[in-house]
Amino acid sequence: SDRTISRRARAQGVEAPPLSVYYRGPQVEQGLLLGYAGVDERDMAPAVERLARAFDRDTPTALGHEPAGLFPAASPTPITNA
């Protein structure tokens, strides 16, 4: 669930509150609230890798799909002010 992944992300040092806590009514959607405006560009890739670990530890049943490979290992593309 998004609450489980949110707790795991927090344990990795990434704040990603679960969206399900904001829903009222019978149908609850799941997701994570991600904010990155205050994150230094150099810290972004390591933070995404830590967030990915929160997903990779989950089960395919809980996510509804196979979690492996959600965030493939790759060199980050630098952001430029072009």
Side-chain angles (χ1 to χ4, degrees):
S1 74
D2 62 347
R3 291 177 187 208
T4 299
I5 294 172
S6 178
R7 282 192 302 273
R8 290 177 180 169
R10 189 176 311 114
Q12 294 289 332
V14 176
E15 280 298 319
L19 290 177
S20 63
V21 300
Y22 297 105
Y23 276 84
R24 286 188 169 219
Q27 179 155 351
V28 176
E29 298 294 329
Q30 295 192 36
L32 299 174
L33 180 61
L34 301 176
Y36 52 88
V39 178
D40 187 277
E41 183 179 320
R42 293 167 291 200
D43 297 329
M44 189 67 67
V48 170
E49 289 172 8
R50 291 193 315 270
L51 179 59
R53 284 196 287 271
F55 278 89
D56 285 340
R57 291 178 46 199
D58 218 331
T59 62
T61 309
L63 285 176
H65 57 79
E66 186 63 38
L70 258 177
F71 295 96
S75 298
T77 303
I79 299 171
T80 61
N81 294 334

